Amino acid sequence: MQLIWLRRAAWVAAALVTTAAHAEISDNVVKIGVLSDMNGPASTPTGQGSVTAAQMAVDDFGGRVLDKPISVIVGDHQLKPDIGAAIARRWYDTEQVDLIVDVPVSAVGLAVQTIATEKKKLFITQSTGAADFHGKFCSPYAMQWVFDTRALATGTAKEVVKRGGDSWFFITDDYAFGHSLERDAASVVTANGGKVVGSVRPPFATPDLSSFILQAQASKAKIIGIAAGPPNNMNEIKTASEFGLLKGGQQMAALLALITDIHSLGLPAAQGLLLTTSFYWDMDDKTREWSKRYFAKMNRMPTMWQAGVYSAVTHYLNAIKAAGSDDPLAVAAKMRETPVEDFFARNGRLRADNLMVHDLVLAQVKSPEESKYPWDYYKILATIKGEDAFGPPDPACPMK
């Protein structure tokens, strides 16, 4: 009789543990909000593609975690920090969103990060590049998954200088993002024995870039560094092609360029361009398998930001499963404990400052003659180790 009682007690205890584990999912659903630019200038490299990537991750996970459903909702911040912050606040406060992802442009990303920290909810950005995100503004609730300005700028500059590109002229967007790219790249150029011969700073979204391209051409620098984001970066590359800059022997290095940008420009204008990226769809069998599934849904290949959304959502859901809970700090701890090794990331790890450090690649855009099939755009020139690209934690972050 005592044995039967003990067995029943053990069964009840096990059932209670199981029930407690299931009860650890707040509101009985794991809700992921994709907060993006759905119709504006960032909508092609993020937007619906990021939504699709998040939903693919949920579907591939089976649609449930700890026996609770996973849902994806969508918001459009229109590239405005106040709108992004208001949506994030509403999602966290009243719509029981557990995780926000994507959030292009740094100003909006930093605004959402502030709300996430205030509400003690998780936020993983794939398309916010400000290094301050994991520096002076770092937060236990906010993670940076794909890139930062330092990684792209220093990765490109170091590898290009090693290959003989030792004189640089910068065309720099005249706002904080562009200044940060130029500063980081210039410091690496000089540290590796190169020199910066000058720079110009066109206003954001200026319609006429010809005078700036002519100054770059006249500098005779071997490398023209494009320290800019859309739309200036692509307009500068297009204008440089029209002015014959590349035919004159100079090369252009884009400190931020995405495969959708190259597709839009076309290989005749973009050929020869040097860039650093976290992801290229045609790198190996794993990248091709996932990207072809994505292409079937979107009719274009994914950017590094969109692939990063899938990677981060999958890692997050695995961490919930491992933690037996969707408690934000418990999940974040599990995410840091587990290496990130998937089709997106090589040698990835989430550091104590919540920056996901992983290998990058230096690529060169192919000529039309070199491209053998649709979206065959890059030659991979080198692998850049994550530690070299991202550098050590920022002393300004107390979590380092």
Side-chain angles (χ1 to χ4, degrees):
M1 191 70 177
Q2 185 176 10
L3 181 59
I4 293 172
W5 183 87
L6 287 172
R7 284 176 177 168
R8 286 178 176 171
W11 181 87
V12 170
L16 287 173
V17 169
T18 303
T19 303
H22 289 176
E24 286 297 319
I25 296 298
S26 56
D27 306 299
N28 292 315
V29 62
V30 172
K31 189 176 287 188
I32 298 167
V34 182
L35 183 53
S36 195
D37 173 28
M38 299 304 295
N39 300 292
S43 60
T44 299
T46 61
Q48 183 56 47
S50 294
V51 178
T52 296
Q55 190 62 57
M56 286 174 67
V58 170
D59 293 344
D60 288 350
F61 202 81
R64 301 179 74 84
V65 61
L66 297 181
D67 202 31
K68 300 297 180 183
I70 309 163
S71 69
V72 175
I73 65 171
V74 181
D76 183 1
H77 61 54
Q78 303 171 45
L79 301 182
K80 297 177 181 178
D82 57 336
I83 293 177
I87 293 172
R89 187 180 297 278
R90 185 182 79 246
W91 278 0
Y92 288 142
D93 277 347
T94 64
E95 298 190 32
Q96 290 79 49
V97 168
D98 300 290
L99 168 69
I100 292 175
V101 298
D102 201 16
V103 193
V105 309
S106 294
V108 185
L110 290 169
V112 172
Q113 182 190 41
T114 298
I115 303 301
T117 303
E118 175 191 331
K119 300 300 178 182
K120 297 181 169 55
K121 294 291 189 75
L122 290 183
F123 165 39
I124 309 175
T125 184
Q126 288 73 28
S127 44
T128 289
D132 284 342
F133 196 89
H134 61 87
K136 63 183 180 181
F137 299 131
C138 71
S139 162
Y141 297 95
M143 304 169 190
Q144 200 164 20
W145 202 258
V146 173
F147 82 118
D148 69 3
T149 53
R150 183 192 188 281
L152 295 191
T154 61
T156 303
K158 185 175 182 179
E159 290 299 324
V160 170
V161 172
K162 280 168 57 177
R163 284 167 164 70
D166 55 5
S167 62
W168 285 61
F169 185 95
F170 287 96
I171 304 176
T172 303
D173 271 3
D174 195 15
Y175 67 111
F177 178 76
H179 299 172
S180 177
L181 284 172
E182 180 187 339
R183 181 186 65 246
D184 290 339
S187 66
V188 173
V189 169
T190 55
N192 285 272
K195 60 181 178 180
V196 176
V197 301
S199 67
V200 288
R201 295 187 170 182
F204 178 72
T206 186
D208 184 6
L209 290 158
S210 55
S211 66
F212 303 104
I213 298 298
L214 287 171
Q215 290 179 71
Q217 197 169 27
S219 74
K220 305 298 182 184
K222 295 179 182 177
I223 305 296
I224 309 304
I226 306 298
N232 276 19
N233 57 351
M234 294 302 105
N235 290 338
E236 286 156 7
I237 295 163
K238 182 180 179 181
T239 305
S241 176
E242 292 169 352
F243 277 68
L245 186 146
L246 298 177
K247 292 178 181 176
Q250 292 172 298
Q251 276 192 303
M252 301 191 81
L255 303 183
L256 173 62
L258 300 157
I259 195 165
T260 47
D261 299 327
I262 306 305
H263 185 73
S264 177
L265 277 171
L267 293 183
Q271 61 183 312
L273 181 70
L274 299 166
L275 59 95
T276 296
T277 183
S278 294
F279 172 82
Y280 175 48
W281 77 269
D282 204 14
M283 253 170 47
D284 57 34
D285 288 343
K286 289 196 297 185
T287 58
R288 282 187 286 272
E289 187 278 330
W290 184 83
S291 298
K292 287 176 180 178
R293 290 200 294 126
Y294 175 94
F295 186 90
K297 298 175 182 294
M298 291 298 300
N299 201 34
R300 60 175 178 259
M301 287 301 177
T303 63
M304 63 177 178
W305 295 341
Q306 291 158 341
V309 167
Y310 181 101
S311 172
V313 169
T314 300
H315 199 70
Y316 167 74
L317 294 174
N318 277 317
I320 290 177
K321 185 177 178 181
S325 166
D326 66 350
D327 174 77
L329 295 183
V331 171
K334 284 294 180 186
M335 292 177 73
R336 286 189 292 269
E337 286 175 17
T338 310
V340 186
E341 194 72 36
D342 55 19
F343 77 90
F344 168 79
R346 303 294 182 274
N347 302 307
R349 63 184 179 89
L350 187 62
R351 284 195 322 207
D353 58 357
N354 277 344
L355 173 68
M356 205 275 275
V357 174
H358 53 281
D359 295 348
L360 309 176
V361 294
L362 179 71
Q364 185 172 33
V365 177
K366 291 182 176 182
S367 68
E369 296 73 29
E370 292 172 310
S371 179
K372 303 303 181 188
Y373 40 85
W375 295 85
D376 175 26
Y377 292 163
Y378 294 170
K379 293 182 289 188
I380 304 300
L381 302 182
T383 297
I384 306 165
K385 294 297 182 185
E387 291 75 11
D388 295 334
F390 290 96
D394 187 336
C397 174
M399 302 190 304
K400 66 186 185 300

